[in-house]
Amino acid sequence: MVYAVFAPLIFAIIIPFLSRIKHKVHTGWLILPVPLLIFIYFLQFVGSDFETARQTIDWIPSLNIALDFYLDGLSLLFALLISGIGTLVVLYSIYYLNKEEQLGHFYTYLYIFMSSMLGVVLSDNVFVLYTFWEFTSLSSFLLIGYWHYREKSRYGALKSMLITVLGGFSLLGGVILLTIETGTTSIRGMIEQADLIVNSDYFLFILIFLLLGAFTKSAQFPFHIWLPDAMEAPTPVSAYLHSATMVKAGIYLMARFSPIFSEVPLFFIILSIFGLVTLAWASYMAVRQTDLKGSLAFSTISQLGMIMAMLGFGTSYAVFAAVFHILNHATFKGSLFMVAGIVDHETGSRDIRKLGGLMTFMPISATLAIFGTFSMAGVPLPFLNGFYSKEMFFESALDLGGYSGAFIESLITAIPIIAVVGSIFTFVYSMYLFFGTFRGEYKESELPKKPHEAPFMMLVPPMLLVIGVMVIGLFPNMFNQALITHSADAVYGDEVAKDIKFWHGWDSPAFQMSLIVVAAGILLYLTKNKWHHIYRVIPGRFNFNRVYDWMVEKIESVSNRITTAYMTGSLRLYMILILTAIITITAGAILISDGFNFEVQDLAPITAPEVIVASIMAIAAIGTTVARNRIAAILILGVVGYGLAILFVMYSAPDLALTQLIIETVTVVLFLLCFYHLPNLTTNNNSIVHKGTNVLVSIGYGVLMLVIGVTAYNSRFADTISNFFMENTYELGGGHNAVNVILVDFRGIDTLFEVAVLFGAALGIFAMIKLRQDKGAK
Amino acid sequence: MNNLAILPIILPLLASVIVAFIPSKLNIVRKLSQALMVIFLIIVGYIAWLVYHNGVIVTQGGGWDAPFGISIVADYLSILLVLTTYIIATAAVFYAPHSLSDQQEKFYFYTFYFLLISGVSGAFLTGDLFNLFVFFEVLLMASYGLIVLGNGKAQLRESLKYVLVNLFSSMLFVTTIAFIYSLVGTVNMAHIAERVEAIPAEQQGIITGIGVLLFFVFAVKAAIFPLYYWLPNSYVVPNPVISALFGALLTKIGIYSIFRVYTLIFVHDTAFTHQQLFIWLAIFTMLFGVIGALSTNNVKLIVTYNIIPAIGFILMGIGLYSEDGLAGSVYYLMHDMVVKAALFFLIGALVVAAGTKDLSKMSGVIQRFPLLGWLFFLGTIVLAGVPPFSGFIGKLLLLRGALSQEYFLLTIVALLSSLLILLSMIRIFIRGFWGEKMEGMTNDNRKVHALTIPAVFLLAISIFLGVGAEYVLPYVDTISTYLLDRTEYISAVLKG
């Protein structure tokens, strides 16, 4: 199984090398066997005697992350879809993309996707699942952006990435919570502890996180907006990722976790409401589309909504129907996308207004399309699998119970009605798709190319899918026993045995609903011209695309506005902000922890000379801020320095005083030398508010330092280590001057690196001056 | 005792002096620097190996036992970060000749470069608060020298702000050290920790206050909200190799120092300092950082702004102060150093390739430079924390820590900023690399290629840190247990 998952990835890595020989053979042929072999591998598990399989490889045991592949019925269904449709899509793409395209890129992305998607459906470890999940988003991003020189491709790629990765991160949050709560990273382990999860304090968070992940990936309302724009990808990609497989990852996730959630009313409410709204809204939107692929995209969204709703219903019948429809949808929608691609390829247009009357030119494609669309519409014919699943959908919508509460009860009454409305529109757009494209008037002048039938091999993949549609339709129970039941068992968590019957009798309510759908659908379709203006008006401006566009656009301009508001480049503003933060937070911290100890009685008495020197220093310090001339400012600043030297003398530290004097003198002289080269000081005409702020911040900072200083002085918790130095300077250090011995011996490393600082400073200044001279010389 | 711990500081200092003597013999200087860096990297790797197998190595400077001399402490955390520093620096020394002009190299680039490494290693390794200040000065002085290299007008303007803000924080640093000395009478960190612990609980308020003050000293350097204003522009103006060194190393020194003092010394009131203050600041740092990254079209500035949310993530783990939180922070710190350096390298190559920094003027670069484009894409998803790469492991640990302590807002902000980080970077990929081939791309393919290769090395490490997490994670777990239990550090320094 591990090989099956990673084989496409390994090929993805060597494809760029394979594609070097593309001028001889189409790369697609070289790699076609990979998905085919995987398909055959998984096929051998199919059968009524199906047994689960498991394979584990350690990866990061410290985090309980292991490549734990577990194959049950649900995984098997998906694995078969992924590899089976994968094979057909690769075959199809060989004719769809010609050799001049960057095939290496295309197949690399496609195979990365194939691996990731297999990984998603086979991983039992939530973190591995999440890893593969993100990779499906990334490969989808790359595939949508395949023709990246198109503006719309880039737009669609970004949109799909933002929305699906948002969901991915949310999923991450959800699975982390699940692992914290259950202490395991295995999904099966979590299902065993379902009660614990449902009763957990975080249950709501878990549910919302997971739902967000599933809804974004499976394009549920209102996150569906990325899928129509994803149609910029080459059609094989649309058929594969954006209808048959990747978009079902969200469905898979919900199905996988439904044994945990199925008993929770909230799960039922959210899933059925969102699912049905998606179904109804998207099927209505599909009717409005004029682009074939756009219409199919909305159709996919609405079908996903339908499956989601059935999972939400959670009855054994609904679950069975959901799983069955996953298979059916993949077959008919895959074939329809391929046919749409063929039409596009052979006529040069996908615009339904320009197409028409193609039946005579493309009879085989038309035949395929008729099966696909009629199956999608749920036309009651025994060889269309879509009819069965639609019928089962209605039945499960009618058969809801087991929940109580006024809201739920009214919801249960509303569900069949919404289901019917959604299905009517499904019927209408299905008819549009077929009749609009293949019947009616042929408009030669509108088409860029003269239409003709596609090459035979290109028709093979959709043909196989249509055969699938019919075989499932004719012999539903054959698949039922071997595959569907096992899947449904895995989702429902219990035995689900169902026979699929074609004929339920005239009095079966579900059949009556089907008839209503067909009748109303035909009526709506025949009178379609009268409805056009309504389609145009609703939803009009109300559109989630606008919300997305608005957000993406705003996020940049708002960020820009916020950032430029404080990143003005003004150092003064930065310092004010920094100091304000320091003052308020530090003072706040000390106040909260009651740390002030401002007592002055322990301090040394203050003498008159000290007061005089200190006042002179203070006055001089204030003086520098108001000086209008650089030289004046620096001289006044010198006063502060010399005042400090005098204070050192008073406190009997002559060596420090001496050092201070030298430094101060050198600084003043240097400054004076430099200032000779500088322009005059510009007088700042600041407002009172501005000056007031400055004064306030300065005073605040000064007071804070004073208070902390005094408190620190008052709170001596231990003896200083300085006594050691005083006592041992001579004996151990061999010198009389303690300061000197500390500098060169006890703390020699400090001194060494202070010397290094001077070394750096000297070189820096030298480099600056020299570089400037060199530049001047040029 | 064992003198090995001081080697990562002394060796580059010596190298710095040696290359200062022959500044204009560029060929020799380049080859010599590269050779020396590789040798140093091996030595540091060996020391790290020793630390992990035999325990903490303490060098007591001049043979004076702590707390009287200066202790250089190569413990699990510091040596890991020194090793990461050397890895990045090695990549940088191979990148530099292609990125800098001959003239810039001649004006002592290599001297400042080695001095910077010496200062950074010293700051990681020292066990003495005042000595930390000294190493801050060393690395700042080296960074002053580097930031003005080239002498552009914008460079001088921005470096002035950089110097002034850092000068202010240095002053505050010394003042705070004085306060601490006044309180507990020592500057050796292990000794401070021991003495702070002995202070009765009702008198610890002032310690909290001074701790917060010291936090701000480091927060200015680490670029934590609301103190990071100086960072974006001053990191953008110098040459990419210098930006890479700054972005990968300098802010990380700040956050490392917070790490050190807030796991060793100021742990008496974690409910307030860590779990209130740090968590809130982490939230704002992440948010304002990504907002900044989204605000501009200057590709280099986008990467620079992305330094800030990463710091927020690391601070978040310190704030959680749990095993998961600290391990996550350490992992994230390592990851971010490597990937930030790689991204700055790639951005440097992109700017050379496209001939502009303005994203709105770029397009289709990937058609000429596919390797550069794909590496950038890889770097972007590594940065956003997509598994199985390095960013994911740290993020997973951090989020697990946050959620198990019920920080839901924090988690949501962290997830959201991951998304916005991705958006800010993928914009460069979509608008700059994708699209129609632009006019005015460079013809110097070889130069772009040479600028791309060092990033390959760094990204390979990023992938290893993710896929091969099992080889690294046990060490990181050791670190977090070790940090939570301070006794090993204290006894290694004081009684060693």
Side-chain angles (χ1 to χ4, degrees), chain A residues 665-696:
Chain A
T665 311
V666 172
T667 322
V668 171
V669 171
L670 274 180
F671 267 128
L672 288 177
L673 280 177
C674 295
F675 282 2
Y676 176 73
H677 296 283
L678 288 178
N680 279 328
L681 197 65
T682 46
T683 43
N684 1 328
N685 297 317
N686 290 325
S687 62
I688 293 292
V689 182
H690 212 119
K691 280 185 181 162
T693 322
N694 289 352
V695 170
L696 214 63

Side-chain angles (χ1 to χ4, degrees), chain A residues 458-527:
Chain A
M458 197 170 179
L459 288 166
V460 168
M463 219 180 276
L464 288 172
L465 285 172
V466 166
I467 291 172
V469 168
M470 290 196 290
V471 172
I472 299 172
L474 289 170
F475 312 104
N477 289 319
M478 189 172 89
F479 288 82
N480 178 9
Q481 299 293 327
L483 186 59
I484 310 291
T485 320
H486 304 303
S487 301
D489 288 353
V491 178
Y492 191 63
D494 213 345
E495 286 281 299
V496 179
K498 283 282 176 277
D499 272 342
I500 304 170
K501 282 186 290 184
F502 169 65
W503 184 244
H504 290 87
W506 289 107
D507 52 351
S508 139
F511 188 69
Q512 288 165 358
M513 283 161 84
S514 279
L515 287 182
I516 294 173
V517 168
V518 173
I522 292 175
L523 200 68
L524 272 180
Y525 178 69
L526 291 178
T527 55

Side-chain angles (χ1 to χ4, degrees), chain B residues 41 104 250 279 302 322 330 349 357 361 394 397 407 416 473:
Chain B
L41 177 63
Q104 285 172 322
L250 293 195
I279 294 289
I302 294 175
S322 64
V330 172
K357 281 181 200 163
K361 291 183 187 141
L397 288 166
Y407 286 104
L416 193 67
L473 210 52

Side-chain angles (χ1 to χ4, degrees), chain A residues 175-498:
Chain A
V175 297
I176 293 177
L177 267 179
L178 278 172
T179 50
I180 292 173
E181 204 54 19
T182 61
T184 171
T185 52
S186 148
I187 296 175
R188 282 179 305 149
M190 289 169 185
I191 291 173
E192 280 167 19
Q193 304 179 52
D195 288 344
L196 185 74
I197 297 169
V198 172
N199 298 319
S200 138
D201 294 342
Y202 314 134
F203 176 71
L204 199 60
F205 280 100
I206 295 176
L207 187 65
I208 290 171
F209 276 141
L210 291 187
L211 284 175
L212 195 57
F215 283 2
T216 49
K217 197 76 163 182
S218 283
Q220 296 297 292
F221 184 88
F223 303 107
H224 63 279
I225 50 168
W226 67 268
L227 193 59
D229 287 300
M231 292 300 128
E232 290 305 321
T235 302
V237 174
S238 312
Y240 190 31
L241 275 73
H242 303 131
S243 86
T245 54
M246 188 186 90
V247 288
K248 296 213 176 88
I251 304 271
Y252 171 80
L253 189 76
M254 285 297 109
R256 189 44 89 207
F257 282 99
S258 79
I260 299 177
F261 296 126
S262 56
E263 298 297 313
V264 183
L266 193 61
F267 182 71
F268 162 69
I269 294 174
I270 295 179
L271 238 61
S272 35
I273 289 181
F274 276 89
L276 287 171
V277 168
T278 309
L279 165 67
W281 177 255
S283 60
Y284 170 73
M285 290 295 285
V287 177
R288 297 176 65 237
Q289 300 300 309
T290 52
D291 175 25
L292 280 185
K293 280 179 79 178
S295 188
L296 286 174
F298 275 108
S299 148
T300 305
I301 296 168
S302 84
Q303 303 277 324
L304 292 169
M306 175 172 143
I307 303 175
M308 202 59 101
M310 287 193 277
L311 285 174
F313 296 165
T315 58
S316 81
Y317 196 76
V319 165
F320 182 79
V323 173
F324 189 44
H325 195 62
I326 291 172
L327 176 66
N328 294 341
H329 177 249
T331 52
F332 65 70
K333 189 57 64 63
S335 70
L336 282 178
F337 264 110
M338 288 179 183
V339 171
I342 289 173
V343 169
D344 185 16
H345 207 248
E346 307 306 335
T347 66
S349 173
R350 296 192 320 229
D351 190 332
I352 206 158
R353 288 167 301 191
K354 296 180 182 169
L355 298 167
L358 294 177
M359 183 81 127
T360 41
F361 300 94
M362 312 169 80
I364 306 175
S365 306
T367 318
L368 296 175
I370 204 169
F371 283 108
T373 48
F374 278 51
S375 180
M376 179 158 76
V379 176
L381 291 169
F383 49 83
L384 296 176
N385 58 3
F387 167 65
Y388 294 95
S389 39
K390 173 109 344 145
E391 189 94 333
M392 289 160 79
F393 170 54
F394 287 147
E395 256 184 58
S396 53
L398 288 169
D399 183 28
L400 289 170
Y403 297 108
S404 52
F407 177 70
I408 293 188
E409 271 158 25
S410 53
L411 182 65
I412 287 174
T413 356
I415 283 172
I417 300 168
I418 306 174
V420 168
V421 172
S423 301
I424 292 173
F425 283 111
T426 308
F427 187 89
V428 175
Y429 70 72
S430 301
M431 295 306 114
Y432 261 132
L433 282 176
F434 177 71
F435 289 103
T437 313
F438 292 101
R439 297 306 303 266
E441 188 189 342
Y442 170 54
K443 302 155 201 160
E444 188 176 8
S445 55
E446 303 258 2
L447 295 177
K449 278 200 226 168
K450 174 119 181 78
H452 54 80
E453 189 57 273
F456 177 70
M457 287 303 281
M458 197 170 179
L459 288 166
V460 168
M463 219 180 276
L464 288 172
L465 285 172
V466 166
I467 291 172
V469 168
M470 290 196 290
V471 172
I472 299 172
L474 289 170
F475 312 104
N477 289 319
M478 189 172 89
F479 288 82
N480 178 9
Q481 299 293 327
L483 186 59
I484 310 291
T485 320
H486 304 303
S487 301
D489 288 353
V491 178
Y492 191 63
D494 213 345
E495 286 281 299
V496 179
K498 283 282 176 277

Side-chain angles (χ1 to χ4, degrees), chain A residues 59-63 65 105 109 127 130-131 134-135 138 141-142 145 148-149 154 157-158 161-162 165-166 169 172-173 176-177 180 202 205 209 555-556 559-560 562-563 566-567 569 571 574-575 577-579 581-582 585-586 589-590 592-595 701 704-705 708-709 711-713 715-722 724-725 732-733 745-747 749-750 752-754 756-757 759-761 763-764 766-768 770-772 774-775 778, chain B residues 6 9 13 16 20 61 64 67-70 103 107-108 111-112 115 118 128 130-131 134-135 137-138 141 148 150-151 161 164-165 168 172 179 181-187 191 195 199 203 205-206 208-210 212-213 216 226-229 232 272 277 288 291-292 294-295 305 367 374 377 381 384 386-389 392-393 395-397 399-400 403-404 406 408 415 418-420 422-423 426-427 430-431 434-436 467 469-470 473:
Chain A
W59 180 18
I60 313 176
S62 312
L63 291 170
I65 299 179
H105 288 191
Y109 310 153
F127 292 114
Y130 168 70
T131 305
E134 291 290 29
F135 267 82
L138 290 175
F141 164 80
L142 292 171
H148 58 73
Y149 42 84
R154 297 199 295 271
L158 178 65
M161 177 184 237
L162 278 182
V165 172
L166 167 74
F169 285 152
L172 175 64
I176 293 177
L177 267 179
I180 292 173
Y202 314 134
F205 280 100
F209 276 141
I555 205 166
E556 286 189 21
S559 302
N560 190 284
I562 293 176
T563 306
Y566 64 83
M567 296 297 293
L571 185 64
Y574 297 168
M575 284 312 295
L577 291 172
I578 290 176
L579 285 172
I582 293 179
I585 297 178
T586 313
I590 300 180
I592 288 172
S593 51
D594 192 21
Y701 188 67
L704 181 73
M705 286 298 135
I708 296 181
T711 311
Y713 181 83
S715 329
R716 284 168 187 269
F717 295 113
D719 294 334
T720 70
I721 54 170
S722 59
F724 170 86
F725 296 122
L732 298 176
D745 193 350
F746 289 125
R747 299 185 64 92
I749 297 177
D750 279 348
L752 172 63
F753 281 92
E754 286 296 351
V757 171
F759 162 70
L763 274 188
F766 174 70
M768 257 167 78
K770 193 77 189 344
L771 207 58
R772 186 178 157 144
D774 286 7
K775 272 189 185 166
K778 269 176 206 163
Chain B
I6 205 166
I9 311 173
L13 182 67
S16 155
W64 299 106
F68 305 111
I70 292 170
Q103 209 188 22
F107 280 101
Y108 305 105
T111 302
F112 290 126
L115 199 59
S118 174
D128 187 286
F130 187 79
N131 193 236
V134 172
F135 281 117
E137 293 303 294
V138 174
M141 188 47 74
V148 297
N151 250 357
K161 290 175 201 163
L164 285 176
V165 171
F168 163 75
L172 185 59
F179 290 154
Y181 185 74
S182 162
L183 283 177
V184 292
T186 181
V187 288
H191 204 205
R195 289 189 164 184
I199 297 173
Q203 290 177 38
I206 184 64
T208 310
I210 291 175
V212 171
L213 213 51
F216 278 115
L227 311 157
Y228 58 78
Y229 315 106
F272 169 70
L277 184 62
F288 277 86
I291 287 174
L294 288 167
S295 71
Y305 265 115
Q367 299 185 33
W374 290 118
F377 183 72
I381 59 176
V386 171
F389 306 116
F392 174 66
I393 308 290
K395 200 169 80 179
L396 174 61
L397 288 166
L399 291 177
R400 201 167 76 181
L403 283 173
S404 54
E406 306 193 9
F408 287 105
L415 288 171
S418 292
L419 182 72
L420 295 180
L422 180 68
L423 172 62
I426 207 76
R427 281 195 314 157
I430 291 179
R431 296 188 199 163
W434 275 0
E436 297 282 358
V467 179
E470 191 53 32
L473 210 52

